[in-house]
Amino acid sequence: MQELSDAKWVYSFNGSSSTYDLSPTFKTNVERFIKALKESGARVTVSATLRPPQRAYLMHWAWMIANRKIMPAKVPSYPGIAIKWDHGTLDKSNSAAKRMVSAYGMQGLHVAPALRSRHTEGNAIDMNISWTGTLKIANASGETIEIESAPSSGMNSELHKVAKTYGVIKFLGGFKDVPHWSTDGRQMKIHNLILACLVFSGCAHSNVDKTPAKSLGIKTFMDAADNCQYFAGEWDSNLTKERQRYIEKQVDKYCGEAKRLKEKLKVEYKGNADVEAELNNYDFD
């Protein structure tokens, strides 16, 4: 039996800050790395691990309905979630979705939370690391590495090399997301196969202008779009207010840039069916 959408759904499928909930291989790698850190005297604070895909589903579609981006009856179902988004009238459905948005604390989020991320896969962890003095830490092979360089935090490049031996990779975007570590250090890519092809030589789309200026414009758009998608997948009501505000600022920055560049590319590549179709796969509302 289905239950109508409302704020009570916010308490279902809570996110985790336990390494126990990570995917099996990544869990083992992370726990070995954290053990080495603690044995070396470093301080480790984990703030987020698994974000259940069910939670991402509820947050995403509540935001979409509340912001009138989709009709409630058109929301796809999700296995194991007996929620009824359609309350019979658009106003009632929209009001219930707004209560969910408010309960999740998403009022400051101007893009729908992503449905998929490394966190929903159990392949990412947000943790802060710090130490004082010289850090003497064992890598995965048991070799002791002395780290004397600054900073004495998770942003230390020498520490990143040690973490990599454990299969724990620091986010490759640098200071854009300080606490984020994952299986590959990368944000999830969205539909950019054709656009990626356009940036590099050897593609079949000979009718596309591949001059440096054009290629740079496409690459800039792809970077902004991927960063938009990445940060939209990082937001959660379980995070600290400070972390939420930071993510909201990044979402506004990158999604706003991606939306602007998308419109520019649509004009530049008007009439090119491949590019137009690919651009239409990106939605920054």
Side-chain angles (χ1 to χ4, degrees):
M1 181 177 178
Q2 289 187 314
E3 292 187 44
L4 288 170
S5 57
D6 216 320
K8 63 183 179 181
W9 280 96
V10 172
Y11 305 104
S12 301
F13 311 108
N14 287 323
S16 173
S17 60
S18 171
T19 58
Y20 179 82
D21 295 312
L22 294 170
S23 65
T25 300
F26 191 54
K27 170 183 178 294
T28 299
N29 295 344
V30 165
E31 290 179 345
R32 290 181 64 213
F33 178 47
I34 290 177
K35 182 175 183 289
L37 283 165
K38 290 183 175 179
E39 288 178 347
S40 71
R43 295 176 292 278
V44 181
T45 304
V46 177
S47 57
T49 54
L50 175 69
R51 182 170 304 118
Q54 297 93 331
R55 184 175 183 82
Y57 166 86
L58 291 171
M59 290 196 302
H60 178 88
W61 294 113
W63 190 97
M64 291 289 285
I65 295 171
N67 287 275
R68 297 184 183 272
K69 303 296 183 182
I70 190 172
M71 295 296 291
K74 297 290 186 180
V75 175
S77 61
Y78 192 99
I81 303 181
I83 188 171
K84 184 176 176 62
W85 297 102
D86 189 351
H87 288 239
T89 70
L90 185 57
D91 285 343
K92 288 181 179 179
S93 302
N94 182 259
S95 294
K98 284 183 175 180
R99 289 193 291 273
M100 289 182 69
V101 166
S102 179
Y104 277 123
M106 296 191 293
Q107 301 94 319
L109 194 60
H110 301 138
V111 170
L115 287 168
R116 292 182 60 219
S117 71
R118 290 288 180 258
H119 281 291
T120 63
E121 297 174 343
N123 287 326
I125 182 170
D126 289 347
M127 59 181 173
N128 289 310
I129 303 166
S130 62
W131 65 88
T132 56
T134 300
L135 184 71
K136 298 179 180 180
I137 182 172
N139 64 20
S141 299
E143 178 186 2
T144 298
I145 307 298
E146 294 191 11
I147 300 178
E148 299 178 336
S149 60
S152 300
S153 72
M155 293 305 295
N156 186 290
S157 60
E158 291 186 76
L159 181 66
H160 299 170
K161 294 176 183 177
V162 173
K164 189 175 182 179
T165 69
Y166 288 94
V168 180
I169 314 300
K170 186 67 186 73
F171 176 58
L172 299 177
F175 281 89
K176 283 189 293 189
D177 199 0
V178 171
H180 190 80
W181 305 70
S182 67
T183 51
D184 60 5
R186 301 180 184 277
Q187 56 238 40
M188 294 190 68
K189 303 295 183 180
I190 42 183
H191 304 281
N192 58 19
L193 181 61
I194 293 175
L195 291 179
C197 185
L198 301 180
V199 178
F200 305 103
S201 60
C203 293
H205 304 282
S206 58
N207 60 328
V208 176
D209 186 345
K210 297 177 189 172
T211 60
K214 292 287 187 180
S215 295
L216 179 60
I218 295 170
K219 178 66 164 57
T220 302
F221 166 74
M222 287 166 57
D223 288 343
D226 287 331
N227 281 316
C228 168
Q229 175 79 354
Y230 170 76
F231 282 107
E234 284 296 296
W235 199 96
D236 198 336
S237 59
N238 291 338
L239 301 175
T240 64
K241 294 298 181 184
E242 180 182 11
R243 174 87 171 136
Q244 287 178 0
R245 286 193 292 271
Y246 175 76
I247 291 173
E248 288 165 2
K249 288 180 180 179
Q250 300 308 304
V251 166
D252 287 346
K253 174 183 176 180
Y254 291 111
C255 296
E257 181 183 9
K259 188 174 183 179
R260 176 181 61 81
L261 291 172
K262 174 184 175 181
E263 295 307 311
K264 183 178 179 181
L265 288 172
K266 285 173 69 175
V267 173
E268 291 180 359
Y269 288 100
K270 185 176 181 180
N272 186 298
D274 285 339
V275 177
E276 289 180 338
E278 193 63 30
L279 287 171
N280 289 333
N281 284 323
Y282 289 80
D283 188 0
F284 307 105
D285 290 327

